[in-house]
Amino acid sequence: MTEESPEGGLTSTDSTLEQDLSEAADAALTCWTAAAMLRTTTAGTALTTAQLAVVRGWKAQLRTAAVQHLANYYRSLTISTGDFVSDALIPWEPRATKFTVELLDRLLADESETDTGNPSTTNSDAFGLLAGLDGPGSPIASVDVEYHAVLASPDGTAFDPAREPRLPARPETALGHLAADTWELTQVLLSRLARADRAGDGTAELAAVTDRMIHSVLRPLSEVLALPEPPTAGSAHRYRRTEGPLAETPVDETLWHLAVLATDMRPPAGGPAEMIEVIAGLQDLACRLAPEQGPLTRADRIRELRRMQPGVPTAIEPCANGPYLVSNVDELTDWLGVDEPMPPQLALCRCGASASKPFCDGAHARTGFTDGKDPARVPDRRDSYPGLQATILDNRGTCAHSGFCTDRLSSVFRLGEDPFVLPSGGRLDEITQAVRACPSGALSMALGGDEESHDVVDQQRPANIEVSRDGPYRVTGSIPLTERDGKPVARNQGASLEHYSLCRCGRSQNKPFCSGMHWYADFHDPVRSPDQDPTLFEWAGGLPALRRMTRIFYGKYVPQDELLTRLFADMRPDHPERVATWLAEVFGGPSHYTERYGGYTHMISEHIGKRLTEPQRRRWAALMGQAADDAGLPNDAEFRAAFTAYLEWGTRIAVENSQTDARPPEGMKVPRWWWVCDATPSARISALAPVVEEDAVVLPGADEPLSFERHIKQLFRAQDRNSMRWAFDLWDHADVSTHADSILHRVNEGTMPCDSTWPAAQTAVFSRWIEEGKPS
């Protein structure tokens, strides 16, 4: 067997797979296939909703058993893989198991006879046999207990959990190649994971890829193999098995071949949605692991995959009890407005439990997620509010409760009051902007009569999905929302087809649409490390916030100001977008202004010869500050100090470069602005902030050896650390050792920390630590 390469687990190769793997693989395949044979819906069956929930739980447990069989085997090759394989992959302790393929035949046997001609074993007996071999307390034993509990219920006599069986795809077919190679690749990944250094480079990524392969590819693929009809294969498969054993092929190359094969087998409308899940999982993995250089980089693979499915319509499909299947949507942006090229087929999480948010990792199959609407949801009723200038239309049953209307135009949209809308409480332009900004499509309006003004409310925008912060997917650009057969998903009265919000927490009462339950469910995206200070761009709210500010500035303030009106009378329609993009790059965001508009040189060219005056400069900066208030940008002292400092600096540079005798330097880069004197929002305690209870300081005994980690680090509170991070890190041994004498001096003088004084006992511990040589 070859040694692991220094680049990490994903690029290393094994010469052979162990010969004694077959028994474990057969057992795992048995459980996996048995799970696939269990039903997923009540359609065409006598199953009740409660029975289906039980069956779905069995499916999850059988899949867990399948993974455990392989994991148990690979555990025998090394000490343990539990330290770096997620709990979702191996959720319980190892158990000895002896499944064989014949158990699947008994579980799914025809009522009259088995394949061997012997009398059929009932489903009950089959489950019992599985449970007996796996041992008490195992997942299969739990299946057996629950199955008998269902049979004991009044409607248990009609209970039939299994689908019609069909033979696995033959290996000479495209589906057979895909199934066989996917299964083998999973074994290769587990084998490498068992040998990987837990702390080595690439091990965490290898574990994540293995987890995704099992839950995002193998799981839905097993469902496809158990469906009555296989997916329709393409007429010309471009798949070519790599030369040599699969175990010796680089993982990224194998994934690319599998992604191409799966994409080429895409089923038509009405075909199995699980196959689209398989395609999405393989495309995502193949593009994520693409080499940075060479003929098949991430960008190359995305282009090729898009070329392979040009006829697939742009759409979002809520998969039954599963993810959103997104086809051919060019832009997926985060809440800051930053986008990254994505493959043409995506599976986005809608259960809220994925560890790879916003992408699906198969968690819905483990958690028992269901996509039914809540009978207690807000009624589907559209209300009309006639006003002096317009009639406002609103459907509370569609609202996602993002608060855009109540936060930005509270004189018209009144939180918690009745009536909710006062249609004459604002200017027409303000009302129009608020209605257009409604991300759920609950709001609309009619101008000059009763007929709804769709052309005013629905904008012409590129297709985009925004992953909002701790909230729903905000969809714009008229992306169709369809069922598997291509028919539109039913919507509430008056719901916009151009923009809508889709649930991402899994708790909405109006699935697939957001109903605001993410707030009550305390749904959150992964929190960034407290060691990383936010950029001004992030703290401001990203591109959406900056765009909102510049649109208010150029749409509201400039037209009514005599100093600025003539200056911007001939500006392009996209001028507010360009200024927002410039500010985003200046404040530490993506380099879109440089990439799309020409960078600093282009910005200078826009000012040359305009002969801007000091009064115009002052007015521009002042009104931009007012627009920032209107747009809801943060108003804390630290952000506004940095924001105002840039406006003052930048406008003065603009005035200077606009004079007729100006000679701007060439080759300058877009400036990058930062917090003033590194005064970040976490560097001080606001007088209005709630009191944070700090952990009590536990002082060492008089004879106890001192340690920085156990005794000294705890002396410094989080707020002390934040206030000093501009100079050094109070939680870092090296930094504190270097500055120990200065710190002790300030502690003795009572000037550090700045808001209180240390007790004498704490000062004594710190002094003793210095005397003992500053141990770590």
Side-chain angles (χ1 to χ4, degrees), residues 408-604:
R408 300 170 190 174
L409 194 57
S410 57
S411 61
V412 176
F413 303 98
R414 307 184 306 159
L415 182 64
E417 297 189 48
D418 188 29
F420 170 59
V421 179
L422 293 181
S424 300
R427 300 197 316 262
L428 179 61
D429 62 324
E430 293 176 327
I431 294 173
T432 302
Q433 289 173 5
V435 169
R436 297 179 79 180
C438 173
S440 68
L443 293 177
S444 190
M445 62 193 303
L447 299 174
D450 297 330
E451 187 173 347
E452 187 172 355
S453 304
H454 287 289
D455 57 335
V456 174
V457 178
D458 292 337
Q459 307 169 61
Q460 296 295 320
R461 292 181 280 189
N464 175 261
I465 301 175
E466 176 196 339
V467 184
S468 69
R469 186 178 190 179
D470 301 331
Y473 298 107
R474 293 177 181 147
V475 182
T476 55
S478 302
I479 303 176
L481 186 67
T482 65
E483 304 285 3
R484 180 83 284 263
D485 58 7
K487 295 179 180 178
V489 170
R491 307 191 192 216
N492 284 351
Q493 299 178 51
S496 173
L497 300 181
E498 191 276 333
H499 55 278
Y500 50 93
S501 296
L502 295 175
C503 173
R504 195 159 70 90
C505 71
R507 302 284 293 277
S508 172
Q509 296 176 313
N510 188 35
K511 300 185 187 81
F513 303 100
C514 172
S515 69
M517 287 299 293
H518 52 274
W519 190 85
Y520 298 98
D522 197 28
F523 174 75
H524 291 288
D525 288 305
V527 179
R528 65 181 295 152
S529 168
D531 291 336
Q532 292 181 290
D533 287 324
T535 63
L536 290 171
F537 170 75
E538 293 168 335
W539 193 257
L543 270 168
L546 296 174
R547 287 178 183 135
R548 193 163 61 247
M549 178 186 68
T550 56
R551 287 168 183 164
I552 291 173
F553 175 78
Y554 288 105
K556 176 181 178 180
Y557 289 109
V558 168
Q560 65 187 21
D561 188 90
E562 60 182 12
L563 281 176
L564 300 180
T565 299
R566 293 179 62 86
L567 183 63
F568 293 102
D570 62 344
M571 68 178 174
R572 292 184 293 264
D574 68 341
H575 187 74
E577 171 72 21
R578 288 171 177 257
V579 174
T581 307
W582 167 269
L583 291 173
E585 186 167 345
V586 168
F587 290 158
S591 303
H592 289 344
Y593 193 89
T594 296
E595 297 163 0
R596 300 172 183 177
Y597 302 122
Y600 189 85
T601 301
H602 177 78
M603 174 59 76
I604 293 298

Side-chain angles (χ1 to χ4, degrees), residues 221-496:
L221 183 58
S222 68
E223 298 289 337
V224 173
L225 290 171
L227 289 172
E229 297 294 334
T232 303
S235 57
H237 298 297
R238 287 181 286 268
Y239 176 76
R240 180 180 63 83
R241 175 95 179 229
T242 54
E243 297 296 334
L246 188 63
E248 296 182 359
T249 305
V251 170
D252 86 279
E253 185 178 333
T254 301
L255 280 169
W256 172 239
H257 284 297
L258 293 177
V260 170
L261 174 61
T263 302
D264 208 35
M265 296 169 57
R266 182 189 180 92
E274 292 86 353
M275 190 63 194
I276 309 299
E277 273 196 78
V278 173
I279 294 170
L282 287 171
Q283 286 191 6
D284 180 51
L285 286 170
C287 291
R288 288 183 183 277
L289 298 182
E292 296 182 2
Q293 297 180 341
L296 283 175
T297 62
R298 175 181 174 85
D300 294 333
R301 292 183 176 183
I302 290 175
R303 279 193 296 270
E304 173 61 15
L305 292 171
R306 289 192 178 278
R307 190 182 69 81
M308 290 181 65
Q309 51 182 69
V312 177
T314 297
I316 301 174
E317 176 195 334
C319 181
N321 299 327
Y324 297 110
L325 303 176
V326 181
S327 302
N328 283 341
V329 173
D330 292 336
E331 286 192 11
L332 180 73
T333 61
D334 62 15
W335 67 278
L336 295 170
V338 179
D339 62 329
E340 180 183 359
M342 292 289 167
Q345 193 63 63
L346 301 174
L348 299 181
C349 173
R350 67 185 293 217
C351 72
S354 172
S356 304
K357 296 181 184 69
F359 304 102
C360 172
D361 69 353
H364 58 276
R366 301 190 294 274
T367 60
F369 167 76
T370 58
D371 57 9
K373 294 181 183 292
D374 189 331
R377 66 187 180 278
V378 177
D380 175 16
R381 188 189 71 230
R382 203 178 201 199
D383 297 318
S384 178
Y385 299 90
L388 181 64
Q389 305 170 90
T391 296
I392 298 177
L393 306 171
D394 173 55
N395 191 329
R396 295 288 81 202
T398 302
C399 181
H401 301 281
S402 295
F404 289 4
C405 56
T406 53
D407 291 347
R408 300 170 190 174
L409 194 57
S410 57
S411 61
V412 176
F413 303 98
R414 307 184 306 159
L415 182 64
E417 297 189 48
D418 188 29
F420 170 59
V421 179
L422 293 181
S424 300
R427 300 197 316 262
L428 179 61
D429 62 324
E430 293 176 327
I431 294 173
T432 302
Q433 289 173 5
V435 169
R436 297 179 79 180
C438 173
S440 68
L443 293 177
S444 190
M445 62 193 303
L447 299 174
D450 297 330
E451 187 173 347
E452 187 172 355
S453 304
H454 287 289
D455 57 335
V456 174
V457 178
D458 292 337
Q459 307 169 61
Q460 296 295 320
R461 292 181 280 189
N464 175 261
I465 301 175
E466 176 196 339
V467 184
S468 69
R469 186 178 190 179
D470 301 331
Y473 298 107
R474 293 177 181 147
V475 182
T476 55
S478 302
I479 303 176
L481 186 67
T482 65
E483 304 285 3
R484 180 83 284 263
D485 58 7
K487 295 179 180 178
V489 170
R491 307 191 192 216
N492 284 351
Q493 299 178 51
S496 173

Side-chain angles (χ1 to χ4, degrees), residues 548-738:
R548 193 163 61 247
M549 178 186 68
T550 56
R551 287 168 183 164
I552 291 173
F553 175 78
Y554 288 105
K556 176 181 178 180
Y557 289 109
V558 168
Q560 65 187 21
D561 188 90
E562 60 182 12
L563 281 176
L564 300 180
T565 299
R566 293 179 62 86
L567 183 63
F568 293 102
D570 62 344
M571 68 178 174
R572 292 184 293 264
D574 68 341
H575 187 74
E577 171 72 21
R578 288 171 177 257
V579 174
T581 307
W582 167 269
L583 291 173
E585 186 167 345
V586 168
F587 290 158
S591 303
H592 289 344
Y593 193 89
T594 296
E595 297 163 0
R596 300 172 183 177
Y597 302 122
Y600 189 85
T601 301
H602 177 78
M603 174 59 76
I604 293 298
S605 69
E606 293 290 296
H607 294 87
I608 289 178
K610 292 191 181 295
R611 294 185 294 179
L612 302 178
T613 66
E614 176 60 20
Q616 287 175 323
R617 184 204 70 78
R618 286 199 302 269
R619 188 67 55 82
W620 193 96
L623 292 180
M624 188 63 84
Q626 292 186 36
D629 292 338
D630 292 351
L633 265 67
N635 64 356
D636 56 276
E638 289 77 15
F639 175 76
R640 287 307 176 101
F643 179 75
T644 303
Y646 174 72
L647 294 185
E648 289 294 320
W649 182 85
T651 53
R652 282 176 164 80
I653 298 298
V655 170
E656 178 183 298
N657 289 326
S658 71
Q659 306 309 310
T660 54
D661 58 346
R663 294 185 300 276
E666 298 181 358
M668 297 290 289
K669 302 292 184 183
V670 173
R672 289 280 178 160
W673 213 250
W674 191 239
W675 301 96
V676 174
C677 297
D678 283 331
T680 63
S682 61
R684 69 179 178 93
I685 301 174
S686 170
L688 303 177
V691 176
V692 178
E693 295 292 335
E694 298 283 346
D695 293 335
V697 174
V698 180
L699 298 178
D703 299 327
E704 184 179 353
L706 291 181
S707 160
F708 178 82
E709 285 297 323
R710 292 197 310 274
H711 305 121
I712 303 304
K713 185 177 178 179
Q714 64 162 338
L715 299 178
F716 304 105
R717 302 166 301 173
Q719 62 199 59
D720 301 331
R721 182 195 188 200
N722 288 331
S723 66
M724 291 301 298
R725 284 180 66 180
W726 62 273
F728 49 80
D729 188 349
L730 285 171
W731 287 359
D732 181 79
H733 175 262
D735 278 4
V736 175
S737 297
T738 301

